Amino acid sequence: MNEWLLVALALVLPPVLGSLLRGFDRILTARMQGRFGPPLLQPVYDTIKLLAKRRMITGRMQAVSSIGYLLFIMAATVMFFLGQDLLLIVLVLGVADMFLVVGAFATRSPYSQIGANRELLQILSYEPILIITAIGLYIANGSFMISEISQPLLPSLWPIFIALVLVLIILMRKSPFDISSSEHAHQELVRGVFTEYSGIHLGLIEIAHMYELILVLGVISLMWLPGVVPGIALALACWFLVLVIDNITARLTWSSMLKISWMFGLGLALVNLIGLSVLGGV
């Protein structure tokens, strides 16, 4: 497929698909809680309303951070669609997340700064797992390049796949790991790291979340490439599982999140790497 067409798809599809998934998220969550829920396109309405509001910021760094957060996530998504180096994509995603943290620290709001501290803890929880995922791809497939995946990775990387579900829960800001902010009003620090953002800059962050959601689901779908349809089905099944977990669990403390993500998620991923190294890949 033409590279420019892939770039266009990478820029257009994630906001569309991400907004639809977030709309279904709200509807399914409402049904699980015995509520009717908002319309499917409510995330679109919310984002358009934010983009149309008067521009208000508490500091110039906030504006820079929201734009940088969106641009770097867009860059990571484009690289993913082009089948580029997964390790580089993970590092670019990490830079995007740091923009979010810097923007929250740039304000004097204690709620924003608490959210920034907790966001850093979340990054420490999932970033090592994503890096090990890229290393696992290299050991199992002989290359970091997504475009060079020639066989389903799930049979050899199933422990890393389980760890990726934990990453998805954290990045979707779902219980029990919604410690820096929450997709829904499940906790006392509902918006946390986003407390001081409003208007167009909060709208840009919401768009970035749509890109990020599709990007992480895309990484999960790699486990069953080159079969595109099975990979998408696998990613959607994980997405639904996260919604179920969100509605049957309560928020944990930051220390519990680190213990679970490092001892269980990171532990599984490391054992997977050691096993692949001993067996010489598959």
Side-chain angles (χ1 to χ4, degrees):
M1 188 180 293
N2 184 277
E3 286 191 358
W4 288 109
L5 178 58
L6 286 175
V7 171
L9 290 175
L11 295 176
V12 174
L13 281 182
V16 175
L17 298 177
S19 61
L20 290 176
L21 284 177
R22 296 184 78 183
F24 278 117
D25 178 346
R26 295 186 183 186
I27 293 173
L28 292 174
T29 296
R31 293 293 192 275
M32 292 178 191
Q33 297 174 359
R35 298 183 288 109
F36 183 76
L40 175 61
L41 296 181
Q42 188 62 49
V44 178
Y45 304 148
D46 293 343
T47 303
I48 293 175
K49 184 176 181 180
L50 286 171
L51 296 176
K53 283 183 174 291
R54 183 162 59 95
R55 181 174 179 268
M56 293 183 64
I57 56 174
T58 58
R60 185 176 300 176
M61 195 60 207
Q62 265 195 309
V64 174
S65 297
S66 62
I67 296 172
Y69 179 52
L70 174 60
L71 289 179
F72 273 89
I73 288 184
M74 289 174 66
T77 306
V78 169
M79 292 169 63
F80 181 85
F81 271 69
L82 292 176
Q84 297 298 307
D85 189 316
L86 182 59
L87 182 59
L88 184 58
I89 292 172
V90 170
L91 296 178
V92 172
L93 181 60
V95 173
D97 292 331
M98 291 310 300
F99 269 99
L100 194 62
V101 172
V102 169
F105 273 129
T107 71
R108 296 184 178 181
S109 167
Y111 297 105
S112 180
Q113 296 200 10
I114 291 172
N117 282 308
R118 293 183 177 184
E119 186 73 18
L120 282 174
L121 291 171
Q122 290 193 169
I123 294 173
L124 287 174
S125 297
Y126 68 75
E127 194 72 17
I129 297 175
L130 290 177
I131 292 174
I132 289 179
T133 299
I135 298 173
L137 171 64
Y138 177 81
I139 296 176
N141 201 60
S143 173
F144 285 114
M145 300 296 289
I146 295 172
S147 59
E148 296 181 9
I149 296 177
S150 58
Q151 59 184 339
L153 299 173
L154 188 59
S156 59
L157 297 181
W158 63 266
I160 287 179
F161 167 73
I162 296 174
L164 280 176
V165 175
L166 291 178
V167 173
L168 184 61
I169 296 173
I170 296 173
L171 286 177
M172 285 182 65
R173 305 179 189 282
K174 298 292 189 180
S175 293
F177 302 140
D178 51 344
I179 68 167
S180 73
S181 67
S182 180
E183 177 74 14
H184 306 294
H186 288 180
Q187 51 144 310
E188 81 285 355
L189 193 70
V190 177
R191 296 310 292 167
V193 70
F194 311 120
T195 299
E196 292 300 310
Y197 286 98
S198 63
I200 185 172
H201 297 293
L202 183 56
L204 294 178
I205 290 174
E206 292 298 317
I207 295 173
H209 286 167
M210 298 172 190
Y211 278 98
E212 189 174 43
L213 173 60
I214 299 302
L215 177 58
V216 178
L217 290 177
V219 172
I220 292 176
S221 72
L222 295 180
M223 292 294 167
W224 209 264
L225 285 183
V228 176
V229 175
I232 293 175
L234 183 66
L236 291 178
C238 292
W239 172 80
F240 181 75
L241 175 63
V242 169
L243 298 191
V244 174
I245 293 173
D246 179 45
N247 283 278
I248 63 175
T249 59
R251 180 175 59 88
L252 296 175
T253 62
W254 66 267
S255 58
S256 297
M257 182 192 68
L258 283 177
K259 289 177 183 177
I260 292 174
S261 61
W262 284 2
M263 296 178 66
F264 180 71
L266 193 56
L268 275 176
L270 287 173
V271 168
N272 199 169
L273 284 190
I274 294 171
L276 286 175
S277 300
V278 170
L279 296 175
V282 293

